[in-house]
């Protein structure tokens, strides 16, 4: 089972990142997120994580990430 962003990156998975405020979502390869944020490897999937910018809300929000197909 894939539990963290680093494990998703090693499994070559796409992450679905869903905003908790507007429920908007976007897809991103796990390796891109890992390279954009050096501390992202330890982020848990299926847990609320703050500090992401939502293009729909135009604000910093909490998101929930899941491997594509696990939602």
């Amino acid at each position: 089972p894939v539990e963290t962003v680093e494990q998703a990156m090693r499994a070559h998975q796409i992450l679905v990142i869903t905003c908790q405020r507007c429920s908007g979502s976007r897809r991103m390869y796990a390796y891109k997120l890992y390279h954009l944020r050096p501390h992202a490897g330890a982020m848990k999937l299926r847990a609320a994580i703050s500090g992401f910018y939502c293009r729909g809300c135009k604000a910093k929000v909490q998101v929930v990430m899941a491997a594509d197909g696990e939602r």
Side-chain angles (χ1 to χ4, degrees), residues 19 26 37 50-61 63:
C19 173
R26 66 183 281 199
R37 294 177 177 231
S50 60
F52 280 79
Y53 182 80
C54 177
R55 293 178 183 170
C57 297
K58 296 188 178 18
K60 291 225 177 211
V61 295
V63 299

Side-chain angles (χ1 to χ4, degrees), residues 1 18 21-22 34 41-42 45 47 57:
T18 306
R21 186 183 291 177
C22 71
Y34 186 80
L45 299 181
C57 297

Side-chain angles (χ1 to χ4, degrees), residues 7-62:
Q7 291 173 346
M9 181 189 72
R10 294 180 190 274
H12 304 286
Q13 291 189 324
I14 296 173
L15 298 176
V16 178
I17 304 170
T18 306
C19 173
Q20 293 296 285
R21 186 183 291 177
C22 71
S23 299
S25 64
R26 66 183 281 199
R27 295 165 50 119
M28 178 184 282
Y29 283 102
Y31 76 87
K32 284 191 175 186
L33 179 63
Y34 186 80
H35 289 294
L36 287 173
R37 294 177 177 231
H39 65 280
M43 290 180 181
K44 298 268 187 203
L45 299 181
R46 298 174 302 281
I49 302 169
S50 60
F52 280 79
Y53 182 80
C54 177
R55 293 178 183 170
C57 297
K58 296 188 178 18
K60 291 225 177 211
V61 295
Q62 285 190 339

